[in-house]
Amino acid sequence: MKITPKTTLHVLAVLPPSRKYSSPPNMTKLHWLEITEYVSLYASAIGTLAATATQQVVYAAFPLTVALGLNLTNRERLKRLNEQYRQNAIAQFDQLVDPFRQRLENFDDFTQRLSQTTQQQIDELRQNQKEQNTDSNQQRLAQFNTFRQQLMKATELQIEPLKQHLTQLNTYTQQLYTSVQQIEPLKQNLTQLNNFTQQLNASTQKQFELLRQQVGEIDAETKKITTNFQQPITKLDAIHQRVEQLENLTKQINTNTQQQIQPLRQYVTQLNAYTQGFNKNTEKQLEEFKYAIALLQTEIQNLAESLTQTEQRLSQEVAAKIKQPQVKITIPTSVKPQPQNRILHLQSSEAEKTEATKALPPVEIPSPTPATTQIQKSKSLPSLQGHTERVVSVAFHPNSVDPTKRILASGSHDKTIKIWRLDTQENRTLTVSGKVNSIAFSPDGKILACGHDDKTVKLWDVNTEREIYNFIGHKEKVYAVAFSPNGKIIASGSQDKTIKLWSLDEQKEVYTLTGHIDEILCVAFSPNNRLVASGGGERDQTIKIWHLTQDKFLTLKGKSGTLGRIYSICFSPDGTTLASGHQDKIIRFWDVETGREISNIIGHNDEVYAVAFSPDGRNLASGSYDGNLKIWQVDTGEELNHVAVGEGAIYCVAYSPDGKIIATANGDKTVALVNLESRTAQGRKDIELEKGFD
């Protein structure tokens, strides 16, 4: 057999050294068998070279045989060492696991003992409970009776200072009326002084007339003397003496007159100053007195309501305790009156009864059912563009029934008002002095009112585009304006916390309503001209309904403790319901007569800036800071339509007089139009809206 280097290397590759097998950590040192194996391998390589040179197989066969034997021996040794390592590892694992096994056994024992102990305690509690059922019921009822007596005593103690305060206020009122009556004698004295001054002037005038007559006589005598120079000189001396006497008499009369008139003038001046100061102090005291009475009435009102609620809650809890005596007794805390609500005028007993009347429990709107309902489908309309700042208010012309003659007004923070013709999209621009916050058409459509940041309410002639009135009276920005249905009065709400009523006939302010403790964000007239509703800011969080003919107002009571800012309010066409949009993302409906919350709708993802009833009163449109226009069915609370107007907020929504178009004032400087067509359908409701490019 011929041995070549290739065959030798092939054999060596088939029989690798034993070090290629993995070994445990305790076999890292080389064993003598491994060293011998490596030596044999090297000797085999050298023998192969020698066999190649001498052509003798024995030089390669012997070292190769030795290497094979050593390889087999090393393999057996490695198997033995691996087995030994495995056994050692298992022993170590058992040592580690044994403590855990012991702990698990201890835990099982503890669990069993705990279960037994718990079961024993439960049995004991049940037995004790059965024994104490009767006694506990009697004790709870006794505690309830004791607490009710304590509550009645505490209520009487709280009412007593209020009665004393009211008595003091009545006394102060009488004193104030007495002091007011003291002005009458002063006025009479002033009238007498004026009459005396006139008489004095008349008498002085007569004396002057006599003097003039005497001077005329003297002149006549002088002329006679001049003409008759031959008369005796003695007559001339007598005339001169008489003239001197007359001059002295005239000086004395003037001096006496001035001396008599000067004290009268001083007295009249002092009397005028005193009268002016007294009027100012009286007005200030009257305002303070009105505020104190309003505060007292609000406290009494809140205390009565809290007492009624506490008695109802006690009755409910007593009934519940009798049925379920295991429940613990919870003693409610007394409700403190909230003094921040203010009113302007003294309320009659009838008004107090109206405020304190208990309304029926509020009714939640049921969840919408999938039944067939009347929904709205829209045709796409282009949006109106032209403003350079956000649009915050829109209003339809009241006579915009004919589709070819629809007119819409929009007010923006760019200090302009645009009047649009919707059929041609042409507009007329009115430039004003301040940012526009609110606009409103008069019922006849001839006048457009707007409230501004410059603290004024301006009226424009729609046809001539001329400013016809400029009402000045607010001390801060004007946020809201509204026309009365008869078109004779304008209401304006301001940042100065007041609502002012302006007369178009008299062209001046006729009344100021005070009662909110923060800025007025919205105002609205009722359809019957008798009510004005207003919504306050974040520190006020109240809605007030002002009865203009009865000189009183009603503060609306919600189900929740806080309402947040009230951004928008509107009366239903029949005037029985008021809708409001709030900072807390909720739309609320109120009973106008009782002031109680009827229901609410939660559907927007952000603050609700605008609400508007449809002309038939069946639907309500709402706009939010989330940029969505939603249309709701009022009686069920079902969402009929949903329009994503754009990226900006919706600050105002308005229905056209025929109810077929909704306009929205948007934060992206546009006015969006949605054309509605009534139809009956079932399933998915959609609205198409085509917006223009900014």
Side-chain angles (χ1 to χ4, degrees):
M1 179 178 179
K2 188 176 180 180
I3 303 299
T4 63
K6 292 183 178 181
T7 57
T8 305
L9 294 173
H10 180 70
V11 173
L12 294 175
V14 173
L15 299 173
S18 60
R19 288 297 300 170
K20 288 188 177 181
Y21 294 94
S22 60
S23 59
N26 58 359
M27 293 185 293
T28 56
K29 294 183 179 181
L30 293 175
H31 195 265
W32 64 272
L33 290 174
E34 295 178 1
I35 296 173
T36 306
E37 182 180 356
Y38 279 110
V39 172
S40 300
L41 290 174
Y42 289 123
S44 299
I46 295 172
T48 302
L49 295 176
T52 303
T54 60
Q55 296 296 321
Q56 295 293 329
V57 180
V58 68
Y59 292 113
F62 179 75
L64 187 58
T65 303
V66 174
L68 289 172
L70 291 172
N71 188 273
L72 292 173
T73 305
N74 283 329
R75 286 176 182 272
E76 292 296 332
R77 186 177 66 83
L78 287 174
K79 288 181 181 179
R80 186 174 63 256
L81 291 175
N82 285 332
E83 184 67 25
Q84 183 179 358
Y85 173 73
R86 190 179 297 107
Q87 292 178 358
N88 292 335
I90 291 172
Q92 291 178 359
F93 181 75
D94 289 338
Q95 291 178 359
L96 293 174
V97 171
D98 284 340
F100 290 102
R101 290 176 180 170
Q102 187 174 1
R103 290 180 182 179
L104 184 60
E105 292 176 357
N106 294 335
F107 182 74
D108 291 338
D109 295 338
F110 174 74
T111 303
Q112 292 177 359
R113 291 196 301 271
L114 183 62
S115 298
Q116 294 175 358
T117 305
T118 304
Q119 188 63 33
Q120 292 176 359
Q121 292 178 353
I122 290 173
D123 294 337
E124 292 177 358
L125 287 174
R126 287 178 178 174
Q127 186 175 0
N128 293 333
Q129 189 175 6
K130 291 179 181 178
E131 294 176 355
Q132 296 178 358
N133 272 342
T134 304
D135 297 337
S136 62
N137 289 338
Q138 295 177 354
Q139 291 176 359
R140 289 188 179 94
L141 289 175
Q143 290 177 359
F144 272 116
N145 292 329
T146 304
F147 171 71
R148 184 166 183 174
Q149 293 176 359
Q150 293 176 355
L151 183 62
M152 294 298 292
K153 291 180 180 179
T155 304
E156 291 177 358
L157 292 175
Q158 291 179 358
I159 292 176
E160 190 62 30
L162 294 177
K163 290 181 178 178
Q164 294 177 0
H165 192 188
L166 184 59
T167 304
Q168 294 175 358
L169 288 175
N170 291 332
T171 305
Y172 176 72
T173 305
Q174 294 176 358
Q175 294 175 356
L176 188 61
Y177 287 154
T178 303
S179 62
V180 171
Q181 292 174 358
Q182 291 176 358
I183 297 178
E184 293 300 328
L186 294 177
K187 290 182 179 179
Q188 294 176 1
N189 292 334
L190 183 61
T191 304
Q192 293 175 0
L193 286 174
N194 290 331
N195 295 332
F196 178 73
T197 304
Q198 293 176 0
Q199 294 174 0
L200 186 62
N201 290 333
S203 61
T204 305
Q205 189 68 26
K206 291 179 180 179
Q207 292 178 359
F208 276 117
E209 290 294 332
L210 293 174
L211 288 175
R212 287 175 184 173
Q213 291 177 2
Q214 292 177 358
V215 170
E217 293 176 356
I218 292 172
D219 291 338
E221 292 291 335
T222 304
K223 290 179 181 179
K224 289 180 181 180
I225 292 171
T226 304
T227 53
N228 301 319
F229 188 74
Q230 292 81 10
Q231 293 181 0
I233 301 301
T234 55
K235 291 183 178 180
L236 183 62
D237 294 335
I239 290 171
H240 282 297
Q241 292 177 359
R242 190 173 181 182
V243 169
E244 290 178 356
Q245 291 176 358
L246 288 174
E247 289 179 353
N248 294 330
L249 179 61
T250 303
K251 291 180 181 180
Q252 290 178 359
I253 291 174
N254 290 334
T255 303
N256 294 332
T257 303
Q258 292 295 331
Q259 290 177 354
Q260 292 177 358
I261 291 175
Q262 189 63 29
L264 292 177
R265 288 177 178 174
Q266 294 178 357
Y267 183 72
V268 170
T269 303
Q270 294 176 358
L271 186 61
N272 290 333
Y274 174 74
T275 304
Q276 292 176 359
F278 186 79
N279 290 335
K280 292 180 180 179
N281 293 332
T282 303
E283 291 177 358
K284 184 177 180 181
Q285 291 173 356
L286 282 174
E287 290 297 330
E288 294 177 352
F289 177 64
K290 291 176 182 178
Y291 170 73
I293 291 179
L295 187 61
L296 180 62
Q297 289 178 343
T298 304
E299 290 178 354
I300 294 174
Q301 199 175 76
N302 292 333
L303 184 60
E305 290 183 358
S306 64
L307 181 60
T308 303
Q309 293 175 0
T310 303
E311 290 180 352
Q312 292 177 354
R313 187 164 57 250
L314 282 173
S315 301
Q316 294 174 359
E317 290 183 357
V318 168
K321 298 305 177 184
I322 294 174
K323 294 180 180 179
Q324 298 178 356
Q326 294 84 2
V327 181
K328 294 182 179 180
I329 298 175
T330 303
I331 298 177
T333 57
S334 59
V335 180
K336 294 183 179 180
Q338 300 177 354
Q340 69 269 20
N341 293 330
R342 298 168 50 192
I343 64 175
L344 173 64
H345 306 290
L346 296 176
Q347 294 184 349
S348 61
S349 59
E350 182 182 356
E352 294 176 357
K353 293 179 181 178
T354 304
E355 288 280 356
T357 301
K358 301 176 184 177
L360 294 176
V363 179
E364 293 286 348
I365 289 181
S367 58
T369 60
T372 301
T373 57
Q374 183 174 354
I375 64 170
Q376 312 288 344
K377 182 183 178 182
S378 73
K379 294 181 180 179
S380 59
L381 288 175
S383 62
L384 306 178
Q385 304 174 34
H387 288 287
T388 59
E389 294 290 340
R390 62 183 179 180
V391 185
V392 296
S393 184
V394 289
F396 275 97
H397 193 283
N399 298 328
S400 298
V401 179
D402 188 353
T404 61
K405 297 181 181 179
R406 286 196 179 104
I407 296 176
L408 176 74
S410 60
S412 170
H413 278 186
D414 61 5
K415 302 181 182 180
T416 65
I417 301 171
K418 292 186 180 294
I419 302 176
W420 307 82
R421 282 196 57 175
L422 299 188
D423 55 346
T424 62
Q425 293 195 14
E426 297 177 352
N427 70 80
R428 296 174 290 161
T429 301
L430 307 178
T431 303
V432 296
S433 58
K435 292 181 179 179
V436 180
N437 296 319
S438 178
I439 59 176
F441 275 105
S442 61
D444 58 6
K446 296 180 180 180
I447 300 175
L448 181 67
C450 54
H452 301 272
D453 272 5
D454 62 0
K455 312 174 187 178
T456 64
V457 177
K458 292 181 172 61
L459 303 184
W460 298 80
D461 188 300
V462 176
N463 295 326
T464 63
E465 303 177 19
R466 295 176 57 187
E467 180 182 331
I468 54 178
Y469 299 127
N470 184 21
F471 293 132
I472 300 174
H474 283 293
K475 299 178 181 179
E476 297 294 341
K477 302 175 183 178
V478 179
Y479 285 145
V481 293
F483 266 99
S484 63
N486 61 11
K488 296 182 179 180
I489 300 294
I490 296 175
S492 59
S494 170
Q495 191 180 10
D496 62 8
K497 310 173 188 177
T498 66
I499 303 162
K500 291 185 180 295
L501 303 180
W502 312 86
S503 172
L504 267 68
D505 295 337
E506 301 178 13
Q507 301 180 16
K508 65 177 183 179
E509 174 190 343
V510 294
Y511 214 78
T512 299
L513 305 176
T514 59
H516 288 280
I517 61 174
D518 201 2
E519 56 192 4
I520 312 298
L521 300 180
C522 51
V523 294
F525 270 98
S526 64
N528 61 5
N529 276 308
R530 297 179 180 178
L531 306 176
V532 172
S534 58
E538 188 169 6
R539 291 192 298 112
D540 185 83
Q541 298 189 17
T542 64
I543 300 174
K544 297 185 185 299
I545 297 179
W546 309 83
H547 295 257
L548 302 181
T549 58
Q550 300 179 17
D551 198 19
K552 67 177 183 179
F553 72 84
L554 180 65
T555 300
L556 304 189
K557 305 292 184 181
K559 297 178 182 178
S560 59
T562 59
L563 302 178
R565 296 189 188 97
I566 296 90
Y567 291 113
S568 178
I569 53 177
C570 62
F571 283 93
S572 61
D574 60 4
T576 60
T577 304
L578 184 75
S580 57
H582 296 261
Q583 182 184 9
D584 59 3
K585 313 173 189 178
I586 299 176
I587 301 170
R588 292 179 169 86
F589 296 92
W590 309 84
D591 187 292
V592 174
E593 183 177 358
T594 63
R596 301 296 177 181
E597 181 179 346
I598 303 172
S599 58
N600 59 62
I601 297 176
I602 301 175
H604 283 286
N605 297 325
D606 217 320
E607 301 176 350
V608 181
Y609 280 158
V611 291
F613 276 101
S614 60
D616 59 6
R618 297 179 180 178
N619 299 335
L620 181 84
S622 62
S624 169
Y625 186 78
D626 59 13
N628 293 320
L629 169 67
K630 296 192 176 186
I631 303 174
W632 312 87
Q633 189 170 345
V634 175
D635 55 352
T636 64
E638 179 184 0
E639 180 180 339
L640 302 179
N641 282 318
H642 178 184
V643 186
V645 173
E647 297 180 357
I650 298 177
Y651 293 105
C652 183
V653 296
Y655 271 96
S656 62
D658 58 3
K660 295 181 179 180
I661 293 180
I662 295 178
T664 64
N666 307 323
D668 60 0
K669 311 173 189 177
T670 65
V671 177
L673 301 174
V674 178
N675 190 6
L676 304 174
E677 291 181 355
S678 299
R679 69 182 182 91
T680 303
Q682 185 177 14
R684 185 172 179 265
K685 302 172 286 295
D686 57 346
I687 286 185
E688 300 175 358
L689 180 66
E690 178 183 341
K691 285 187 63 64
F693 297 95
D694 292 336

